[in-house]
Coordinates of all heavy atoms in Angstrom, one line a residue:
S1 N -110.8 47.5 -64.8 CA -111.5 48.5 -65.6 C -110.8 49.5 -66.3 O -111.3 50.5 -66.8 CB -112.5 49.1 -64.7 OG -112.0 49.9 -63.5
A2 N -109.4 49.4 -66.3 CA -108.5 50.4 -66.9 C -108.8 50.5 -68.5 O -109.2 49.6 -69.0 CB -107.1 50.0 -66.7
K3 N -108.6 51.7 -69.0 CA -108.8 51.9 -70.4 C -107.7 51.5 -71.3 O -107.8 51.3 -72.4 CB -109.0 53.4 -70.6 CG -110.2 54.0 -69.9 CD -111.6 53.6 -70.4 CE -112.8 54.1 -69.7 NZ -113.5 53.0 -68.9
D4 N -106.5 51.3 -70.7 CA -105.3 50.9 -71.5 C -104.2 50.3 -70.6 O -104.4 50.4 -69.4 CB -104.8 52.1 -72.4 CG -104.3 53.2 -71.5 OD1 -103.7 53.0 -70.4 OD2 -104.5 54.4 -71.9
I5 N -103.2 49.7 -71.3 CA -102.2 49.0 -70.4 C -101.4 50.0 -69.8 O -100.9 49.6 -68.6 CB -101.4 48.1 -71.4 CG1 -100.6 47.1 -70.6 CG2 -100.5 48.9 -72.3 CD1 -100.5 45.7 -71.2
A6 N -101.1 51.2 -70.2 CA -100.4 52.2 -69.4 C -101.1 52.5 -68.1 O -100.5 52.5 -67.0 CB -100.3 53.5 -70.2
A7 N -102.4 52.5 -68.1 CA -103.1 52.7 -66.8 C -103.0 51.5 -65.9 O -102.8 51.7 -64.6 CB -104.6 53.1 -67.1
Q8 N -103.1 50.4 -66.5 CA -102.9 49.1 -65.7 C -101.6 49.1 -65.1 O -101.5 48.7 -63.9 CB -103.0 47.9 -66.7 CG -104.4 47.6 -67.1 CD -104.5 46.4 -68.1 OE1 -103.6 46.2 -68.9 NE2 -105.6 45.7 -68.1
R9 N -100.5 49.4 -65.8 CA -99.1 49.3 -65.4 C -99.0 50.4 -64.2 O -98.2 50.1 -63.2 CB -98.2 49.6 -66.4 CG -98.0 48.3 -67.3 CD -97.1 48.5 -68.4 NE -96.7 47.1 -69.0 CZ -96.5 47.1 -70.3 NH1 -96.5 48.0 -71.2 NH2 -96.2 45.8 -70.9
K10 N -99.5 51.5 -64.2 CA -99.5 52.5 -63.3 C -100.1 52.1 -61.9 O -99.5 52.2 -60.9 CB -100.2 53.8 -63.7 CG -99.9 55.1 -62.9 CD -100.6 56.2 -63.5 CE -100.5 57.5 -62.6 NZ -101.1 57.4 -61.3
D11 N -101.3 51.5 -62.0 CA -101.9 51.0 -60.8 C -101.3 49.7 -60.3 O -101.3 49.5 -59.1 CB -103.4 50.6 -61.2 CG -104.2 51.9 -61.3 OD1 -104.0 53.0 -60.6 OD2 -105.2 51.8 -62.2
F12 N -100.6 48.9 -61.1 CA -99.8 47.8 -60.7 C -98.8 48.2 -59.7 O -98.4 47.4 -58.8 CB -99.2 47.1 -62.0 CG -98.5 45.8 -61.6 CD1 -99.2 44.7 -61.3 CD2 -97.1 45.7 -61.8 CE1 -98.5 43.5 -60.9 CE2 -96.5 44.6 -61.5 CZ -97.1 43.5 -61.2
T13 N -98.1 49.4 -59.8 CA -97.1 49.7 -58.9 C -97.7 49.9 -57.5 O -97.1 49.3 -56.5 CB -96.7 51.2 -59.2 OG1 -96.4 51.2 -60.7 CG2 -95.5 51.7 -58.4
A14 N -98.9 50.4 -57.2 CA -99.5 50.5 -56.0 C -99.8 49.1 -55.4 O -99.7 48.7 -54.3 CB -100.6 51.4 -55.9
L15 N -100.4 48.3 -56.3 CA -100.8 46.9 -56.0 C -99.6 46.2 -55.6 O -99.6 45.5 -54.5 CB -101.5 46.3 -57.1 CG -102.1 44.9 -56.9 CD1 -103.5 44.8 -57.5 CD2 -101.2 43.8 -57.4
S16 N -98.5 46.3 -56.2 CA -97.2 45.6 -55.9 C -96.8 46.0 -54.6 O -96.3 45.2 -53.7 CB -96.2 45.8 -56.9 OG -96.6 45.1 -58.1
T17 N -96.8 47.3 -54.3 CA -96.3 47.8 -52.9 C -97.0 47.1 -51.8 O -96.3 46.6 -50.8 CB -96.4 49.3 -52.8 OG1 -95.7 49.9 -53.9 CG2 -95.9 49.9 -51.5
D18 N -98.3 47.0 -52.0 CA -99.1 46.3 -50.9 C -98.8 44.9 -50.8 O -98.7 44.3 -49.8 CB -100.7 46.5 -51.2 CG -101.2 47.9 -50.9 OD1 -100.3 48.7 -50.6 OD2 -102.3 48.2 -51.2
V19 N -98.8 44.2 -51.9 CA -98.5 42.7 -52.0 C -97.2 42.3 -51.5 O -96.9 41.4 -50.8 CB -98.8 42.2 -53.4 CG1 -98.5 40.7 -53.5 CG2 -100.3 42.3 -53.7
I20 N -96.1 43.1 -51.8 CA -94.8 42.9 -51.4 C -94.7 43.0 -49.9 O -94.1 42.1 -49.3 CB -93.7 43.9 -52.1 CG1 -93.6 43.5 -53.5 CG2 -92.4 43.8 -51.3 CD1 -92.9 44.7 -54.3
A21 N -95.4 43.9 -49.3 CA -95.4 44.1 -47.8 C -96.0 42.8 -47.1 O -95.5 42.3 -46.2 CB -96.2 45.2 -47.4
L22 N -97.1 42.3 -47.8 CA -97.7 41.0 -47.4 C -96.6 39.8 -47.3 O -96.5 39.1 -46.4 CB -98.9 40.7 -48.2 CG -99.6 39.3 -47.9 CD1 -100.2 39.2 -46.5 CD2 -100.5 39.1 -49.0
F23 N -96.0 39.8 -48.5 CA -95.0 38.5 -48.7 C -93.8 38.6 -47.9 O -93.2 37.6 -47.7 CB -94.8 38.2 -50.2 CG -96.0 37.6 -50.8 CD1 -96.9 38.4 -51.6 CD2 -96.4 36.3 -50.5 CE1 -98.1 37.9 -52.1 CE2 -97.7 35.8 -51.0 CZ -98.4 36.6 -51.8
K24 N -93.4 39.8 -47.5 CA -92.2 39.9 -46.6 C -92.4 39.3 -45.4 O -91.5 38.9 -44.6 CB -91.8 41.3 -46.5 CG -91.1 41.8 -47.7 CD -90.5 43.2 -47.5 CE -89.7 43.7 -48.8 NZ -89.0 44.9 -48.6
H25 N -93.7 39.1 -45.0 CA -94.0 38.6 -43.7 C -94.8 37.1 -43.7 O -95.2 36.7 -42.8 CB -94.9 39.5 -42.8 CG -94.2 40.8 -42.6 ND1 -93.1 41.0 -41.7 CD2 -94.3 42.0 -43.3 CE1 -92.7 42.2 -41.9 NE2 -93.4 42.8 -42.7
A26 N -94.9 36.7 -45.0 CA -95.7 35.5 -45.2 C -94.9 34.3 -44.8 O -93.7 34.3 -44.9 CB -96.1 35.4 -46.7
D27 N -95.6 33.1 -44.6 CA -94.9 31.9 -44.1 C -94.6 31.0 -45.3 O -95.5 30.4 -45.9 CB -95.9 31.2 -43.1 CG -95.1 30.4 -42.1 OD1 -93.8 30.2 -42.4 OD2 -95.7 29.9 -41.2
L28 N -93.3 31.2 -45.8 CA -93.0 30.6 -47.1 C -92.5 29.1 -46.7 O -91.7 28.9 -45.8 CB -91.9 31.4 -47.6 CG -91.5 31.1 -49.1 CD1 -92.7 31.3 -50.1 CD2 -90.4 32.0 -49.5
K29 N -93.1 28.1 -47.3 CA -92.8 26.7 -47.1 C -91.7 26.2 -48.1 O -90.8 25.5 -47.6 CB -94.1 25.8 -47.4 CG -94.2 24.7 -46.4 CD -95.6 24.1 -46.4 CE -96.1 23.6 -47.7 NZ -97.4 23.0 -47.5
K30 N -91.7 26.7 -49.3 CA -90.9 26.2 -50.3 C -90.6 27.3 -51.4 O -91.5 28.1 -51.6 CB -91.4 24.9 -51.0 CG -90.6 24.2 -52.0 CD -91.4 23.0 -52.6 CE -90.9 22.7 -53.9 NZ -91.8 22.1 -54.8
G31 N -89.4 27.3 -52.0 CA -89.1 28.3 -53.1 C -88.6 29.6 -52.5 O -88.4 29.8 -51.3
S32 N -88.3 30.5 -53.4 CA -87.9 31.9 -53.2 C -88.8 32.8 -53.9 O -89.2 32.5 -55.1 CB -86.5 32.1 -53.6 OG -85.6 31.4 -52.8
I33 N -89.1 34.0 -53.3 CA -89.8 35.0 -54.0 C -88.8 36.2 -54.2 O -88.2 36.6 -53.2 CB -91.0 35.5 -53.2 CG1 -92.0 34.4 -53.0 CG2 -91.7 36.7 -53.9 CD1 -93.1 34.7 -52.0
Y34 N -88.7 36.6 -55.4 CA -87.7 37.8 -55.7 C -88.4 39.1 -55.8 O -89.5 39.2 -56.5 CB -87.0 37.4 -57.0 CG -86.1 36.2 -56.9 CD1 -86.7 35.0 -57.4 CD2 -84.9 36.2 -56.4 CE1 -85.9 33.8 -57.2 CE2 -84.1 35.1 -56.4 CZ -84.6 33.9 -56.8 OH -83.8 32.8 -56.7
V35 N -87.9 40.0 -55.1 CA -88.5 41.4 -55.2 C -87.6 42.1 -56.2 O -86.3 42.2 -56.0 CB -88.4 42.2 -53.8 CG1 -88.9 43.6 -54.0 CG2 -89.2 41.4 -52.7

């Protein structure tokens, strides 16, 4: 619901922090995830 891409990018930081924490403990079968 952001009004512009700058707002989207700002919120993406918080979203990324949460998701990165999840993937550091995820059960990876194949491939690599780069932080």
Side-chain angles (χ1 to χ4, degrees):
S1 61
K3 301 282 179 256
D4 57 39
I5 196 142
Q8 288 177 328
R9 285 176 165 151
K10 187 174 179 298
D11 289 327
F12 182 70
T13 309
L15 187 136
S16 291
T17 301
D18 288 0
V19 173
I20 289 167
L22 171 70
F23 286 105
K24 283 191 177 185
H25 304 285
D27 210 347
L28 197 58
K29 219 163 55 174
K30 182 181 155 210
S32 290
I33 300 172
Y34 296 93
V35 180

